[in-house]
Amino acid sequence: MSLKPLVSSLNDSLMLLAPRGWKTVELAVSSGPQGLKVTQLETKGEGSTAPKPRPPLHFDPKDEATRLSEGLTELHAALAGKWTPGTVRIERSGEDFVDWKLLKADGAVAWFSRLDKKDLGSLLMTDALFDALTGSSKAFDDLQNQLGTRLGVVTDFKFDTGAFTLRLERPRGAIELPAQIVGAFLADSFTWVWGWSDPEAAPGAVDRIKRFCLPNDLRPEGLSALWRPSYHCDEGFAWTVAGSVVVGIGARGLFRGTLPDGSGVALFALMDLPAA
């Protein structure tokens, strides 16, 4: 059984928790009745003193630390006694590779796994993504502030799949705006699904989003958050990524509406602003 998918998931959690620019991270791990628990995270490298700014990812560090601990618990079980929990050292060489080392008490390596450049390019949490989100965050905030002022309270919505317009019901009067379906966040499974990945979606409803996420049907390295059809994440992370796409396609803001069955929310990129 390959443990590479599990290590990839662990690396995503680490990228959220460690300061940007890290070269080496050491995790102190202890055993408990509920499994393993990360009790300390120590960073070495440029990120430990002057980390790059992090985009507003809207995640709970405590929840992410729990996911990291749960992943290490799963890895420990899969290794069947090859490692006694204590220290995990993660070493990164730029964009070339990341090494995960589970250490013995004397510092020797009990188990080792390497994520190479190809692996790193397909991860969800990457420096390339963080750079893109950081670069678009202010512009997106400005768009949302202007949209909120113009839009006001919305009581209901309906997307016209033929005209590609979003009808928004408001106390001060309904309006219709051209829109693109960005995607949906399913709350029960913590899953983000891109609208362009739905084979039944009308091309005109998702074409601008798809061209941005998959330029010329390519999958840019480090930006799998754009070209993966779906993935597990928090809603806040999905909102931030969707916001970056809104900026990228020249839309005027993002509308969030609860799905009719209550299973989650749909996000739409509004291509025009309501009248002032």
Side-chain angles (χ1 to χ4, degrees), residues 4-270:
K4 188 68 70 69
L6 178 54
V7 176
S8 296
S9 178
L10 290 169
N11 206 85
D12 279 337
S13 290
L14 184 69
M15 288 294 289
L16 286 173
L17 294 170
R20 293 194 61 191
W22 61 271
K23 298 297 183 184
T24 301
V25 173
E26 286 197 358
L27 305 175
V29 183
S30 62
S31 299
Q34 305 301 321
L36 303 188
K37 182 178 180 179
V38 175
T39 58
Q40 184 178 347
L41 185 154
E42 181 181 358
T43 308
K44 299 178 181 179
E46 296 175 3
S48 61
T49 55
K52 295 180 181 179
R54 187 184 296 279
L57 298 175
H58 306 293
F59 73 100
D60 187 330
K62 291 183 179 179
D63 289 345
E64 200 59 47
T66 297
R67 294 189 186 104
L68 180 60
S69 296
E70 291 172 346
L72 288 171
T73 299
E74 185 177 347
L75 178 60
H76 178 238
L79 293 177
K82 294 181 180 179
W83 173 59
T84 299
T87 302
V88 179
R89 180 179 296 149
I90 307 97
E91 299 172 336
R92 177 165 69 165
S93 175
E95 299 178 355
D96 294 330
F97 63 83
V98 172
D99 290 340
W100 278 74
K101 301 176 181 179
L102 308 187
L103 305 183
K104 299 178 181 179
D106 62 1
V109 177
W111 183 83
F112 165 87
S113 180
R114 170 167 288 184
L115 299 175
D116 59 24
K117 189 170 184 177
K118 182 178 179 181
D119 298 322
L120 297 176
S122 62
L123 294 183
L124 190 60
M125 305 298 176
T126 66
D127 282 328
L129 177 67
F130 294 164
D131 286 341
L133 299 183
T134 300
S136 61
S137 62
K138 185 180 184 305
F140 176 61
D141 287 345
D142 291 343
L143 288 173
Q144 286 303 113
N145 288 335
Q146 187 177 22
L147 176 63
T149 300
R150 295 276 193 96
L151 196 57
V153 177
V154 176
T155 58
D156 200 4
F157 72 96
K158 184 176 182 180
F159 185 73
D160 187 324
T161 56
F164 313 132
T165 57
L166 189 65
R167 180 178 176 86
L168 301 172
E169 302 290 344
R170 308 181 301 169
R172 59 169 127 165
I175 55 172
E176 291 187 358
L177 298 170
Q180 291 267 293
I181 302 172
V182 183
F185 181 79
L186 308 179
D188 289 347
S189 59
F190 286 89
T191 301
W192 169 250
V193 183
W194 286 104
W196 54 258
S197 70
D198 181 356
E200 298 183 0
V206 296
D207 56 350
R208 296 188 190 188
I209 306 292
K210 185 175 182 179
R211 283 200 300 270
F212 185 85
C213 293
L214 289 148
N216 298 317
D217 289 326
L218 299 176
R219 291 167 170 75
E221 288 188 358
L223 296 176
S224 75
L226 300 182
W227 49 256
R228 285 194 204 183
S230 64
Y231 46 83
H232 297 297
C233 67
D234 292 331
E235 183 182 346
F237 176 78
W239 173 267
T240 301
V241 174
S244 185
V245 173
V246 160
V247 173
I249 67 172
R252 305 309 299 271
L254 197 60
F255 174 77
R256 175 187 183 275
T258 302
L259 294 172
D261 62 0
S263 63
V265 297
L267 300 184
F268 298 88
L270 300 181

